[in-house]
Amino acid sequence: MPMNSGGPSPWGNPRPGGGGPWGAPPPPGGNRGPSGGGGGGGGAPDLDDLIRQAQDWVRRMIPGGGVRGGGKGLGILAAIALALWGASGFYRVQADEQGVVLRFGAFIGTTQPGLNYHLPWPIESVLTPRVTTENLVFVGFRPTDAVQTRNVSARDVIEESMMLTGDENIIDIDFVVRWRIRDAGDFLFNTRNPVDTIKWVAESVMREVIGRTPIQPALTEARGDIEDKVRAGIQAIMDQYKAGVAITQVQLQKVDPPGAVIEAFRDVQRAAADRERQRNEAEAYRNDIIPRARGEAERMVQEAQGFRDSQEARAKGEAQRFTQVLSAYQQAKDVTLQRLYLETMEEILRRNPKLLVDDRLQGMVPFLNLGDPPRPNPNPQRPSLTPGGAGAPALAPPASRPGMPR
């Protein structure tokens, strides 16, 4: 290590005459040790020289130099150091974080996202856990893939997944609990291990809910109800613990019978599905045939009632007409008799074929067809009368009917 030759002494005084550490120049050329260092040092570094170089560096850093100037510079350095120490208390909390302020390691409060200040270290310190990140707790299985989704290969944990249902059947349930930090201070200091606490509470609540639910609803339509009840139960217990967490969702991943009996159980389910299908078909047929029969019965009842009303109305009308005729007969017998005769003959003649014969016709005898009713003439151009005109009834000559009077 080179010696300081002629420079100022470590205490700020000039060195009189010399160059060595004690003011005298080293002997020319020699007493060097085996390692090439200055006389008798044995190759070890000179401690006095190191101290002197450090003092020189401090004097160069302090403006003004000397003892008085050094005191002023130390004050400036102390002020700068104090300002930097005070400025170290500023910290920023991100939008997805919450600040937790500790004073000598004890929790004193939380801060919201943004620029905040705390007393510098070692008086106060800050933790900034993320409170918007959704965390997962797996119960009954452990995922083996890096991405934790619903369809991942998993390792089953039998001691967590096997549960007893309300009808004393065994069921295998795997589920996921999604949670996030609601209060960072409570989360960090009220529970020793919040994640394990959530897992244990979730398993306990799930066993309680499944213990009150039969196996068939648990496998089919009651899954959503089970998830809601378990989520509410976990949240209630964690609130009692003041754990500072919010349970956002419980998702059932697998709800099956044990593997040893799953095929037999599926056969039972298929039989139950067939029974339900046949029942639905029977109900559909019943819902189709019964309204139709009811409608037919109602139609028949309405028709009978209509016939009854019509008959009653007709009978009442006939009776009223007879009463009116009787009243008219009692008032004018001759006129009424004549009218009754004419109406009766009109009715008879309307319903029977008529034959008109001119009484001035001589030598002809009417031929009355008393058998079948007269048939229409197939040839309208040829008249069907021998002596008469068209449209008149056929007449036979007197010679053809000798037994008839003329």
Side-chain angles (χ1 to χ4, degrees):
M1 181 178 293
M3 298 296 179
N4 188 354
S5 57
S9 67
W11 315 110
N13 298 322
R15 297 180 182 273
W22 308 109
N31 295 340
R32 297 183 179 272
S35 61
D46 193 345
L47 182 59
D48 294 334
D49 192 50
L50 291 177
I51 295 175
R52 185 171 57 253
Q53 288 184 2
Q55 291 174 346
D56 292 341
W57 179 80
V58 172
R59 277 196 298 269
R60 287 194 300 268
M61 293 299 297
I62 298 174
V67 177
R68 296 181 180 178
K72 182 179 180 180
L74 288 175
I76 295 175
L77 286 178
I80 294 174
L82 183 62
L84 293 176
W85 179 74
S88 65
F90 289 99
Y91 65 96
R92 180 181 296 275
V93 179
Q94 301 298 328
D96 60 342
E97 297 175 344
Q98 192 175 45
V100 179
V101 182
L102 308 178
R103 181 174 297 166
F104 297 112
F107 170 68
I108 63 172
T110 59
T111 56
Q112 298 303 317
L115 186 62
N116 299 276
Y117 182 80
H118 68 87
L119 296 178
W121 184 87
I123 301 175
E124 292 182 352
S125 60
V126 174
L127 300 175
T128 57
R130 295 191 175 186
V131 295
T132 61
T133 302
E134 192 174 62
N135 305 284
L136 304 180
V137 171
F138 303 95
V139 181
F141 73 104
R142 300 294 183 270
T144 57
D145 290 39
V147 180
Q148 297 171 350
T149 59
R150 294 181 67 94
N151 299 319
V152 297
S153 59
R155 176 176 58 85
D156 198 10
V157 183
I158 299 298
E159 58 271 15
E160 295 180 1
S161 61
M162 289 297 179
M163 301 182 185
L164 192 65
T165 63
D167 51 359
E168 297 182 355
N169 286 297
I170 298 176
I171 194 171
D172 188 1
I173 294 182
D174 297 342
F175 64 99
V176 178
V177 179
R178 298 179 179 269
W179 62 277
R180 61 177 179 82
I181 300 174
R182 183 169 59 188
D183 189 296
D186 293 343
F187 176 77
L188 293 174
F189 299 103
N190 285 348
T191 55
R192 178 172 296 179
N193 196 333
V195 178
D196 289 342
T197 302
I198 293 173
K199 186 176 79 66
W200 296 330
V201 170
E203 182 181 350
S204 175
V205 174
M206 180 62 75
R207 290 185 183 277
E208 179 184 357
V209 174
I210 293 298
R212 297 195 302 263
T213 306
I215 187 171
Q216 190 62 36
L219 294 173
T220 54
E221 71 273 6
R223 293 170 64 100
D225 188 44
I226 291 173
E227 291 176 346
D228 294 338
K229 289 181 178 178
V230 172
R231 188 201 64 80
I234 298 173
Q235 187 66 66
I237 295 176
M238 299 307 292
D239 290 344
Q240 290 178 1
Y241 292 164
K242 296 182 180 180
V245 298
I247 308 300
T248 59
Q249 190 179 12
V250 174
Q251 292 179 331
L252 293 176
Q253 302 293 308
K254 181 184 72 172
V255 182
D256 292 326
V261 297
I262 189 171
E263 289 301 327
F265 196 86
R266 287 174 179 172
D267 290 340
V268 174
Q269 283 188 321
R270 284 191 287 268
D274 293 340
R275 180 190 64 184
E276 190 68 21
R277 177 182 56 80
Q278 293 178 1
R279 179 184 299 171
N280 293 335
E281 292 177 356
E283 289 180 355
Y285 178 74
R286 182 192 66 180
N287 295 335
D288 176 66
I289 197 67
I290 290 179
R292 189 181 304 172
R294 289 176 178 172
E296 186 69 18
E298 186 67 22
R299 183 186 63 81
M300 295 175 65
V301 170
Q302 294 294 336
E303 289 180 355
Q305 290 179 353
F307 179 75
R308 181 196 63 186
D309 295 341
S310 65
Q311 290 298 104
E312 290 180 356
R314 184 179 294 111
K316 291 179 180 179
E318 292 291 336
Q320 186 176 6
R321 186 177 67 83
F322 180 80
T323 303
Q324 292 176 356
V325 170
L326 178 61
S327 177
Y329 176 76
Q330 291 175 351
Q331 294 178 3
K333 294 184 178 181
D334 296 337
V335 176
T336 303
L337 288 174
Q338 184 68 22
R339 176 184 173 186
L340 290 175
Y341 173 77
L342 293 177
E343 289 179 354
T344 302
M345 293 303 298
E346 181 182 2
E347 184 69 20
I348 293 173
L349 293 177
R350 182 187 301 115
R351 292 182 297 180
N352 293 280
K354 296 174 287 297
L355 180 64
L356 301 178
V357 178
D358 191 357
D359 57 354
R360 294 175 297 177
L361 183 62
Q362 299 295 328
M364 300 296 294
V365 177
F367 178 74
L368 302 178
N369 188 5
L370 301 179
D372 297 333
R375 299 178 180 176
N377 187 9
N379 190 2
Q381 284 77 16
R382 294 182 61 185
S384 59
L385 297 177
T386 303
L395 299 177
S400 61
R401 304 293 297 274
M404 298 293 294
R406 296 179 180 271

